[in-house]
Amino acid sequence: MKIAFVSQLDSKNVQSWSGTPFFMVQGLRQAGHSVKEIGPLHPPFPRFFKLLQKAYQVLTGKCYDFSRHPLLAKTLSKQAAAQMAGEDFDAVLCPSSLVCAGLDTAVPIVTWEDATFAGMVGYYPGKWQNFANATIRHGNQIQQASLSKAALSVFSSDWAAQSALSNYKVEAKNVVVVPLGANLTEVPSEEEVRAAIHARTQVGECRLLFIGVEWHRKGGDLVVQTALALREKGINATVDVVGCQPVGAMPDCVRPHGFVSKSTTEGREKLRLLLLNSHYLFVPSIAECYGLVFAEASAFGVPSIARATGGIPTAVQNGLNGWTLGVDESAQAYAELIASQLESNETYIKTALRARKFYEERLNWRVAVASLESLLEPLVPQKC
């Protein structure tokens, strides 16, 4: 199958959207498909619109996101069409509704996103809490146009798919869920994971791993509070913080590592060792579309612990690769959960091995692309 992969972001850059466009393309190619990368796509006059956006906020106190204006979205679609001109494709795959909304093509369009615009407004912090009415109107118009144009709208979680069905006019048969895979260039072998899991039971401490670039949104304070609650129970809990610096004074059990880049050999090796040696990935985000890091932790046989919010319950399923608790649960509740899982080495080992199995069966790009293939085949006309 020849696929046009149309992305506003640079799909050759492993840093873009945590590497998701890059790994989508690689997964399709490894499955034997011919993929032409269309993009990156650039809105016109970015400096001008950035200044205009700042001026609008100063004058009104509201955020007007010019990237959500229908004319700018149409410009992106025109750029994509120009790069596709003169070639025949079997399908178009877009990881963004912004590009898909105005794209005119005779071949079936499939989107693969982690959220809808309506699902994000008022849910994520920052600008999503303060959009101008015009931005909300335009953002919803673009999302609706994308859903109407796409032959199939794929979402990474049940939360995102339900948001599409609840907030927009779209047929249920055209909305499906395919979880995203782990964005890893090197996956540890099953033997390496088994050895690491057994080694964790011998270290005499509970190593919690927090990965996130936004301390507050990712729930960093709750992680530290939980570690202290565990220590009060006599469990020697530590916290490795990756991606950001903790905010405020931290106890000695917290070890900040700062931002660790996946684009360097040193960064990948550091992340690999942290994951192999950690008992749990603990990222209790207050808002999250999906959580690629949960898939990556599962590949290392590291159970995840998180809040049951947004798309997380698709990426972290209770008893399979970790646990989620309610959004209002306390640090004490998380500490009790972790302590119960550490009561015996046998319990922990079984839990960690289930996480690895869940990765192999559900949270990798081979499985994700195979699911996408089965959905694409009925849409693509058979060639004589």
Side-chain angles (χ1 to χ4, degrees):
M1 196 179 300
K2 186 174 182 180
I3 299 171
F5 186 83
V6 183
S7 174
Q8 183 178 358
L9 302 174
D10 185 358
S11 55
K12 295 181 176 66
N13 184 355
V14 74
Q15 299 283 53
S16 296
W17 188 18
S18 301
T20 299
F22 174 86
F23 284 97
M24 280 183 178
V25 170
Q26 297 308 308
L28 289 165
R29 286 177 175 155
Q30 288 169 9
H33 300 287
S34 173
V35 182
K36 179 172 181 178
E37 294 167 84
I38 307 297
L41 308 174
H42 305 286
F45 314 115
R47 291 182 180 178
F48 170 75
F49 284 112
K50 189 173 183 179
L51 288 172
L52 204 58
Q53 186 167 309
K54 286 183 177 179
Y56 189 96
Q57 184 143 10
V58 169
L59 292 171
T60 68
K62 291 287 185 178
C63 174
Y64 187 94
D65 188 347
F66 283 91
S67 70
R68 301 285 169 178
H69 195 286
L71 290 178
L72 290 186
K74 191 172 183 179
T75 299
L76 298 179
S77 298
K78 284 184 176 180
Q79 290 178 28
Q83 293 184 39
M84 292 168 59
E87 294 194 50
D88 293 326
F89 296 99
D90 296 307
V92 175
L93 179 60
C94 297
S96 169
S97 59
L98 282 172
V99 178
C100 169
L103 191 59
D104 291 321
T105 177
V107 300
I109 297 174
V110 175
T111 59
W112 197 354
E113 301 182 276
D114 65 354
T116 67
F117 181 79
M120 293 287 287
V121 172
Y123 174 57
Y124 258 51
K127 67 179 183 179
W128 296 96
Q129 301 284 340
N130 193 41
F131 273 145
N133 289 335
T135 289
I136 295 174
R137 184 173 66 254
H138 290 154
N140 282 321
Q141 286 174 355
I142 291 170
Q143 186 76 67
Q144 181 63 66
S146 172
L147 289 165
S148 299
K149 189 171 289 278
L152 194 67
S153 298
V154 182
F155 292 97
S156 62
S157 71
D158 299 304
W159 165 77
Q162 188 55 52
S163 175
L165 294 170
S166 299
N167 294 290
Y168 301 98
K169 295 178 181 179
V170 58
E171 293 188 55
K173 66 182 180 66
N174 293 336
V175 175
V176 296
V177 175
V178 177
L180 302 174
N183 291 343
L184 297 170
T185 53
E186 297 178 8
V187 178
S189 67
E190 185 175 348
E191 292 74 17
E192 186 178 12
V193 169
R194 284 181 176 273
I197 291 170
H198 282 275
R200 290 173 209 155
T201 65
Q202 307 301 314
V203 297
E205 63 181 13
C206 173
R207 296 170 178 168
L208 305 177
L209 178 61
F210 172 89
I211 300 179
V213 296
E214 299 175 63
W215 177 255
H216 291 301
R217 180 173 71 82
K218 296 287 186 175
D221 290 333
L222 181 59
V223 174
V224 175
Q225 292 164 11
T226 301
L228 294 177
L230 284 167
R231 294 174 78 87
E232 289 178 0
K233 292 177 177 292
I235 297 172
N236 184 21
T238 61
V239 181
D240 286 290
V241 177
V242 175
C244 64
Q245 290 297 327
V247 177
M250 289 291 124
D252 292 340
C253 63
V254 177
R255 301 182 290 230
H257 297 272
F259 180 76
V260 180
S261 175
K262 286 183 179 179
S263 64
T264 67
T265 302
E266 295 79 10
R268 289 193 297 273
E269 178 62 12
K270 185 167 187 174
L271 285 170
R272 186 184 75 85
L273 292 175
L274 283 167
L275 282 162
L276 284 173
N277 294 325
S278 296
H279 291 80
Y280 297 99
L281 175 73
F282 190 9
V283 186
S285 302
I286 60 173
E288 195 73 70
C289 292
Y290 180 67
L292 289 160
V293 71
F294 301 124
E296 293 164 8
S298 295
F300 284 80
V302 178
S304 295
I305 299 173
R307 281 188 171 105
T309 185
I312 291 177
T314 298
V316 180
Q317 298 196 6
N318 289 333
L320 295 179
N321 67 327
W323 294 269
T324 59
L325 295 182
V327 294
D328 295 323
E329 290 290 356
S330 65
Q332 190 63 38
Y334 282 98
E336 289 173 2
L337 169 64
I338 294 169
S340 70
Q341 293 300 312
L342 293 174
E343 287 180 353
S344 74
N345 289 343
E346 183 181 1
T347 298
Y348 177 78
I349 290 170
K350 286 181 178 179
T351 299
L353 289 174
R354 281 198 299 269
R356 169 66 181 210
K357 184 179 180 182
F358 193 67
Y359 159 77
E360 292 173 346
E361 295 179 350
R362 182 83 166 160
L363 298 180
N364 65 76
W365 283 109
R366 177 184 54 79
V367 171
V369 167
S371 298
L372 184 68
E373 284 176 317
S374 66
L375 295 166
L376 274 174
E377 285 175 0
L379 303 177
V380 177
Q382 297 298 313
K383 296 180 180 179
C384 298

